[in-house]
Amino acid sequence: MSDKKARLHVDGMSEVLELPQYEGTLGPDVIDVRNLTNKGIFTYDPGFISTASCESKITFIDGDKGILLHRGYPIEQLAEESDHLETCYLLLYGELPTVAQKEIFVNTIKKHTMVHEQISFFFRGFRRDAHPMAVMCGVVGALSAFYHDSLDIKNERHREIAAFRLIAKIPTIAAMCYKYSIGQPFMYPDNRLSYGANFLHMMFDTPCEPSNVNPVLARAMDRIFLLHADHEQNASTSAVRLTGSSGANPFACIAAGIAALWGPAHGGANEAVLNMLNEIGDEKNIDKFIARAKDKDDPFRLMGFGHRVYKNFDPRAKVMKQTCDEVLGELGLENDPLFRIAKRLEQIALEDPYFVERKLYPNVDFYSGIILKALGIPANMFTVIFATGRTIGWIAHWNEMISGDYRIGRPRQLYTGATKRDYVPIDKRG
Ligand code: SDX
């Protein structure tokens, strides 16, 4: 930490407050305001727009330049050269694995892909038409009932095994959510397959037919998981950290992350993008929807556009668009009408002053839904896919926090409610 200082003059205080100012290896400096409470004052930052909640070494984002680094490696290079499990290793341990380390890690994950047979009974409590995110949140939270006693979060090995279990089991549970919704039998993982291929196998194969996973689609599925792996202190990762700061079971923490991701302003946006494209229906309707997105009196927003941090292209969106081209080409869907509408919508929005002035660019969710639909995945499963990819990011941040010095997260508030007043018996009220 540097010996820089920030000086704060507060009306009503005689002294100028000196606050430590720290610089990271990348990104803006931060001002340590932890001692302000002792001075009888809080900072105020609803939505944490200007607040660094922690120190982290996992992911760096430069929103103005559209840069995303995982442990220093650009997302574009990882998407091109790496795969999801190797990126999981990188996010968890901080370095790319050697050949031997990768082989051990991949084989270890394979040994945890099955879930306890009792888990399948949890699904039966849900209606078949329950939203898969509700099912996934419930089932992942239920995993804490299977491992709670054998889990000491202060034990590094216990944390590592919890990480293995979650990375390995989340695709299995995600596919079970889908199979349950369509009334087909659950498919067991096939550990001869890669991570992406195994997921498509569990999603679309049945016991009646030999496995038939297209390797191009499997690679695309793996890349979609990789592109969703982590994204600094986003809403769901912050939910995982806050939940974990109380010492909660890691499976319960990941369930908290799944719940936070579900919202349409966050991970639910990919499902909302596809619904929006379907509602637009034809390129001739685009201008009407652009006008609605700009209308302050209309709650409609262009889903898949804008970002709290990126004020440039989301680098993941560029890779996702390339993957979209690949998948549609492989499936002979180059003229997919939704893809055409999406490309036209992007082109118009990027030229419209409203979006340009507000630096609203396509984000990771804009193209992912088109790929997932082309893969045969229904829109209500899109955020389940996002959660499956993001699980490693949640676990890596949870592990980073628990393995370091941390305190229970406990924000304060600006109170504007009633001042102290005495109770009025009901027969004395107006
Ligand atoms: C993800 O944080 C992460 O890292 C998240 C994520 C991850 O990997 O974890 O990247 C994943 O959540 C991506 C974002 C997915 N969400 C959507 O695509 C939903 C649509 N986007 C918006 O809801 C919005 O852009 C947010 C929520 C993403 C960001 O909102 P902010 O930062 O709070 O911005 P804002 O609401 O203050 O908007 C600033 C201005 C406003 O207009 P003015 O008041 O200045 O006139 O931009 C406008 C907004 O009305 N605006 C939009 C818009 N997004 C912002 N107008 C039309 N369409 C949009 N999509």
Side-chain angles (χ1 to χ4, degrees):
M1 300 291 187
S2 70
D3 57 4
K4 288 180 177 177
K5 295 283 184 209
R7 287 167 184 77
L8 179 65
H9 169 77
V10 178
D11 279 352
M13 282 188 186
S14 55
E15 64 172 312
V16 173
L17 303 177
E18 273 206 351
L19 303 171
Q21 181 176 331
Y22 309 134
E23 56 187 65
T25 44
L26 292 170
D29 282 11
V30 298
I31 300 169
D32 186 338
V33 296
R34 282 175 287 186
N35 283 330
L36 283 182
T37 302
N38 301 332
K39 301 287 183 187
I41 194 165
F42 298 149
T43 59
Y44 183 63
D45 185 15
F48 310 122
I49 293 176
S50 301
T51 294
S53 61
C54 61
E55 176 185 345
S56 180
K57 302 179 189 311
I58 297 173
T59 288
F60 175 74
I61 300 171
D62 182 322
D64 293 330
K65 299 194 180 91
I67 290 171
L68 169 55
L69 307 177
H70 288 321
R71 300 286 190 177
Y73 295 99
I75 189 66
E76 298 88 340
Q77 293 181 27
L78 291 171
E80 186 61 34
E81 308 289 340
S82 186
D83 58 51
H84 185 62
L85 279 184
E86 183 176 79
T87 302
C88 288
Y89 185 99
L90 173 66
L91 289 168
L92 199 55
Y93 297 110
E95 297 297 336
L96 288 169
T98 62
V99 171
Q101 287 168 332
K102 182 171 182 177
E103 189 178 342
I104 292 167
F105 182 73
V106 170
N107 288 332
T108 302
I109 297 298
K110 286 179 185 283
K111 293 291 176 279
H112 288 278
T113 50
M114 280 203 298
V115 293
H116 192 293
E117 276 298 293
Q118 292 297 106
I119 288 284
S120 63
F121 297 129
F122 281 111
F123 287 81
R124 296 180 190 171
F126 293 100
R127 290 177 14 176
R128 294 278 181 178
D129 62 353
H131 195 290
M133 279 299 280
V135 179
M136 181 183 231
C137 193
V139 173
V140 171
L143 284 178
S144 51
F146 286 78
Y147 302 113
H148 187 74
D149 301 337
S150 63
L151 198 147
D152 166 11
I153 61 171
K154 280 301 180 190
N155 181 319
E156 183 180 3
R157 181 60 181 153
H158 285 199
R159 293 200 301 274
E160 191 177 38
I161 293 170
F164 294 155
R165 283 174 165 147
L166 280 157
I167 296 166
K169 295 181 194 311
I170 202 76
T172 306
I173 291 169
M176 289 171 85
C177 291
Y178 174 62
K179 285 297 198 190
Y180 183 75
S181 73
I182 59 173
Q184 283 192 0
F186 298 137
M187 291 298 288
Y188 286 111
D190 177 345
N191 290 334
R192 294 166 297 181
L193 301 174
S194 69
Y195 198 81
N198 206 0
F199 178 68
L200 293 181
H201 156 67
M202 293 187 284
M203 282 284 290
F204 298 118
D205 285 343
T206 70
C208 324
E209 305 287 340
S211 180
N212 176 28
V213 177
N214 178 320
V216 173
L217 304 187
R219 174 79 183 117
M221 192 70 246
D222 187 87
R223 189 180 299 157
I224 286 172
F225 288 142
L226 188 157
L227 290 171
H228 286 92
D230 188 50
H231 213 239
E232 199 215 65
Q233 306 309 325
N234 58 86
S236 53
T237 300
S238 298
V240 170
R241 279 183 173 260
L242 192 58
T243 307
S245 72
S246 72
N249 175 295
F251 300 94
C253 295
I254 299 306
I258 293 170
L261 186 74
W262 195 359
H266 189 14
N270 51 18
E271 179 178 356
V273 166
L274 203 83
N275 295 339
M276 175 186 74
L277 293 175
N278 280 317
E279 194 184 352
I280 292 173
D282 188 294
E283 290 180 59
K284 68 178 186 304
N285 299 327
I286 289 178
D287 291 341
K288 181 176 67 174
F289 281 85
I290 294 273
R292 284 188 57 196
K294 292 154 62 171
D295 179 356
K296 286 288 155 251
D297 297 325
D298 188 330
F300 174 79
R301 285 197 163 180
L302 214 50
M303 302 314 283
F305 266 77
H307 198 277
R308 170 60 58 78
V309 176
Y310 287 124
K311 301 309 170 189
N312 197 321
F313 251 94
D314 180 334
R316 300 168 297 174
K318 290 182 184 173
V319 181
M320 203 64 90
K321 188 175 178 181
Q322 292 160 11
T323 305
C324 209
D325 274 324
E326 283 169 26
V327 168
L328 295 180
E330 176 68 17
L331 295 171
L333 298 173
E334 295 89 339
N335 292 321
D336 178 86
L338 294 185
F339 191 41
R340 275 211 323 274
I341 293 172
K343 287 197 283 191
R344 182 81 185 107
L345 191 59
E346 175 189 352
Q347 186 185 8
I348 293 173
L350 293 181
E351 292 159 2
D352 185 298
Y354 173 93
F355 295 90
V356 175
E357 286 157 15
R358 290 166 179 78
K359 299 182 178 178
L360 302 175
Y361 290 87
N363 58 49
V364 67
D365 294 306
F366 189 60
Y367 285 104
S368 58
I370 298 167
I371 306 172
L372 296 173
K373 176 179 178 289
L375 292 174
I377 297 170
N380 66 3
M381 276 288 294
F382 289 1
T383 311
V384 169
I385 303 298
F386 193 145
T388 302
R390 182 55 53 88
T391 291
I392 177 56
W394 292 330
I395 276 290
H397 282 276
W398 171 80
N399 185 55
E400 180 180 63
M401 176 181 72
I402 300 294
S403 60
D405 293 328
Y406 69 97
R407 305 178 68 183
I408 187 167
R410 189 8 178 129
R412 302 304 303 274
Q413 63 182 7
L414 169 67
Y415 178 72
T416 55
T419 54
K420 185 175 177 299
R421 54 185 171 164
D422 294 328
Y423 181 81
V424 178
I426 193 163
D427 58 355
K428 295 276 189 303
R429 294 170 203 163

